[in-house]
């Protein structure tokens, strides 16, 4: 349940911000789509994915602000969120690969 709430919070916020940027009736569409995606990702347990997006958003926005000024914070935050999500999935896959339990085949038991 906590993953679903986290997903709705993160993806819903992203949807609202995209809707504000696009304006008009896109606001409701983007916010609704963000909430639906957040529920879906939360149901499959995407906590590392959300953490990557969260950290990437702030780091990307801060880097864009430092490099090119406050008018490009939204572009940097969006790019950082995309990269953060990618890195979150990548780290999750590496954790699964390196810390999984070793599986023994039936021939290992017979020898």
């Amino acid at each position: 349940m906590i993953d679903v709430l986290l997903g709705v919070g993160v993806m819903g916020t992203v949807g609202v911000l995209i809707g504000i940027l696009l304006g008009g009736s896109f606001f409701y569409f983007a916010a609704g789509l963000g909430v639906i995606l957040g529920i879906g990702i939360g149901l499959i347990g995407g906590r590392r994915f959300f953490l990557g997006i969260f950290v990437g958003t702030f780091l990307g926005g801060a880097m864009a602000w430092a490099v090119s000024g406050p008018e490009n914070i939204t572009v940097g935050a969006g790019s950082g969120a995309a990269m953060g999500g990618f890195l979150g999935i990548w780290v999750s896959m590496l954790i699964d690969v390196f810390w999984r339990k070793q599986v023994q085949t039936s021939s290992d038991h017979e020898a």
Side-chain angles (χ1 to χ4, degrees):
M1 181 64 176
I2 193 90
D3 287 341
V4 173
L5 293 176
L6 184 63
V8 168
V10 171
M11 296 301 283
T13 302
V14 170
V16 166
L17 293 174
I18 290 172
I20 289 171
L21 187 65
L22 293 176
S25 61
F26 285 112
F27 174 80
Y28 301 107
F29 176 74
L33 186 61
V35 168
I36 290 169
L37 287 173
I39 290 171
I41 294 171
L43 286 174
I44 61 172
R47 190 174 295 191
R48 290 182 193 136
F49 176 71
F50 291 131
L51 183 62
I53 290 175
F54 184 74
V55 171
T57 300
F58 284 106
L59 290 178
M63 288 176 65
W65 187 13
V67 171
S68 62
E71 62 275 356
N72 290 322
I73 290 175
T74 54
V75 174
S79 300
M83 287 303 298
F86 169 75
L87 290 174
I89 291 172
W90 185 66
V91 167
S92 177
M93 288 175 15
L94 286 177
I95 287 172
D96 291 342
V97 166
F98 289 117
W99 281 281
R100 67 179 173 197
K101 294 179 182 177
Q102 295 296 324
V103 178
Q104 294 181 351
T105 62
S106 61
S107 63
D108 291 341
H109 293 289
E110 295 171 5

